[in-house]
């Protein structure tokens, strides 16, 4: 079975995002890809031409994941961007990353759902066998 790095799942009126990875950082990056694949239907066509720094801190990993996604949503909104690639480093309770993407262009990007924010509903970061899983439900 091929490795699927991220997925979305239904949760009532909202949608869950889930990232998998061989490392914790890869799971967080893939969770962010799941998020932006909801926002831009042709996610793979986003050009990673500009990168922005992202930093978040939290006591627990599930909290760190939710804060990470919400920071990305805020950054995307403030900068008028959509992101496709994420270079993540996690040390203790601190995440430092680079989010790579481009300016949102309605002529190029097929807009999907509007994500209002990541929530703590079903928020979970855990090791399952050889993979890490990072997930939560996003408010749409």
């Amino acid at each position: 079975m091929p490795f699927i790095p991220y997925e979305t799942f239904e949760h009532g009126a909202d949608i869950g995002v889930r990232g998998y990875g061989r490392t914790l950082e890869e799971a967080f990056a893939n969770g962010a890809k799941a998020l932006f694949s909801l926002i831009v239907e042709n996610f793979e066509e986003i050009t990673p031409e500009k990168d922005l720094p992202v930093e978040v801190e939290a006591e627990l990993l599930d909290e760190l994941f939710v804060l990470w996604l919400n920071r990305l949503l805020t950054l995307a909104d403030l900068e008028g961007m959509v992101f496709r690639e994420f270079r993540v480093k996690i040390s203790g309770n601190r995440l430092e990353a680079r989010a790579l993407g481009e300016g949102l262009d309605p002529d190029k990007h097929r807009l999907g759902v509007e994500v209002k924010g990541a929530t703590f509903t079903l928020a979970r970061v855990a090791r399952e066998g050889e993979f890490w899983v990072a997930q939560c439900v996003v408010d749409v």
Side-chain angles (χ1 to χ4, degrees), residues 45-134:
E45 293 179 27
I46 297 171
T47 305
E49 62 188 18
K50 181 179 178 186
D51 74 300
L52 298 174
V54 184
E55 295 181 14
V56 288
E57 227 173 290
E59 291 298 315
L60 304 171
L61 284 176
D62 56 350
E63 180 185 9
L64 190 66
F65 184 65
V66 171
L67 293 178
W68 153 245
L69 296 183
N70 281 324
R71 183 67 51 90
L72 288 171
L73 288 169
T74 300
L75 195 57
D77 188 47
L78 290 173
E79 299 291 331
M81 291 183 67
V82 287
F83 301 110
R84 179 174 145 196
E85 292 181 14
F86 308 90
R87 299 193 178 118
V88 180
K89 290 183 184 174
I90 299 172
S91 180
N93 62 350
R94 184 172 177 75
L95 177 147
E96 293 179 9
R98 305 294 297 184
L100 293 82
E102 66 181 335
L104 177 61
D105 179 354
D107 291 331
K108 176 181 179 182
H109 306 117
R110 285 194 320 271
L111 297 180
V113 297
E114 181 183 347
V115 178
K116 297 173 189 149
T119 72
F120 287 98
T121 303
L122 298 180
R124 184 171 76 87
V125 176
R127 184 141 187 128
E128 291 184 0
E130 63 182 281
F131 295 103
W132 282 91
V133 178

Side-chain angles (χ1 to χ4, degrees), residues 10-60:
E10 291 187 28
H11 183 269
D14 295 318
I15 302 172
V17 294
R18 184 179 293 131
Y20 299 95
R22 289 175 178 81
T23 65
L24 181 60
E25 290 86 354
E26 187 179 30
F28 272 58
N30 287 332
K33 288 179 181 183
L35 174 69
F36 280 91
S37 75
L38 288 172
I39 296 168
V40 178
E41 289 180 355
N42 55 338
F43 169 76
E44 293 299 324
E45 293 179 27
I46 297 171
T47 305
E49 62 188 18
K50 181 179 178 186
D51 74 300
L52 298 174
V54 184
E55 295 181 14
V56 288
E57 227 173 290
E59 291 298 315
L60 304 171

